[in-house]
Amino acid sequence: MIEKYWNDEEEWRGYHPNACDEENKFVDAAEGKLLTVFLDYDGTLAPIVPEPDKAFMSDEMREAVRQCAKRFPTAIISGRSRQKVSQFVKLDELYYAGSHGLDIAGPKTTTDGEPIEKKLAHQPAQWARDVMDRVTKELIEKCADIPGTNIEHNMFCVSAHYRAVSEELRPRVEAVVDEICASEECLIKHDGKMVWEVRPRVAWDKGKALSYLRDALLPDLSEKGFRPEDVFTIYIGDDVTDEDAFMEINEELGDHLGVGLLVSSSPKVSAAKFSLRDSGEVLRFLTRLRELGDAGTIKTLP
Ligand SMILES: O=P(O)(O)OC[C@H]1O[C@H](O[C@H]2O[C@H](CO)[C@@H](O)[C@H](O)[C@H]2O)[C@H](O)[C@@H](O)[C@@H]1O
């Protein structure tokens, strides 16, 4: 485990410069390259709210993402099911990876709204569909007497939310999740913001999904004249599961080909090179990307 490595917030921001306040540092890294933009949903495009079904994204944010996708290949990578996150985002021109990357699909349309025939699709844990149905049923039954628990079926992952559960009852939710994960070797427990998650035990995460999508994009970008070294990948996310994507960028690409941006209002151990305070700053940053693209500072799709 990585230890805390800062004394105060200012020192932390020295390690993770704010990409809005210190835009020049971001521009130094990305200048002259085409971006590929990967975005988490909850806590990044939409603020965290008590009820998962009400985590709506603002129209302003939707427009910023739409404008981003016109200029740079853009994907959403979320812990939600792909269907649910695409219903929140409502943009058919994006790539989506739901269930923490276990359910990937290419855009339904071009950025001009033309239908796309050749569809990209990848589900590395397809065997787990029925298992996750069973896990959902079991979690609902076993948590029925724990007031406030909310079980969310995310296709290849099941979330047991405990945000609305009283503090003294929260260990019971975790015990149910532990019991289920212990009963089948193919299952593994993960955590998130006030949520325990049951996932299939596979060597796949948001980082692997990012690499899969980046590799899938490169041939098309090559046809448009962009070599792999002309492409700069960014991933913006706020949660522990987003760290896999930050690490993938650090390990597979390196600072000259990509960076992670952590959304956090307070210092946190993170593999992200940059930071943004909240979804309001994510909006500001995406708007700046559009402006930097239009000014030619960073390259855009033809
Ligand atoms: O990868 P993400 O897109 O960030 O999804 C991660 C989880 O997000 C959702 O839960 C979180 O946000 C909720 C709405 O703000 C909040 O109520 C909850 O406490 C958070 O954990 C989503 O409901 C989960 O299924 C996702 O796995």
Side-chain angles (χ1 to χ4, degrees), residues 40-42 47-52 55 77-80 100 152 154 159 161 163 193-195 197 206 238-239 241-242:
D40 165 54
Y41 184 74
D42 290 280
I48 295 290
V49 292
E51 290 176 66
I77 305 190
S78 171
R80 302 251 187 186
H100 295 290
E152 189 183 8
N154 282 316
S159 306
H161 293 275
R163 190 175 285 278
K193 291 190 167 167
M194 302 266 183
V195 66
E197 297 193 317
K206 287 185 170 192
D238 71 311
D239 209 345
T241 61
D242 300 311

Side-chain angles (χ1 to χ4, degrees), residues 57-68:
M57 152 183 182
S58 69
D59 288 341
E60 219 183 344
M61 183 69 93
R62 185 168 296 104
E63 186 54 23
V65 177
R66 191 200 314 275
Q67 293 301 333
C68 187

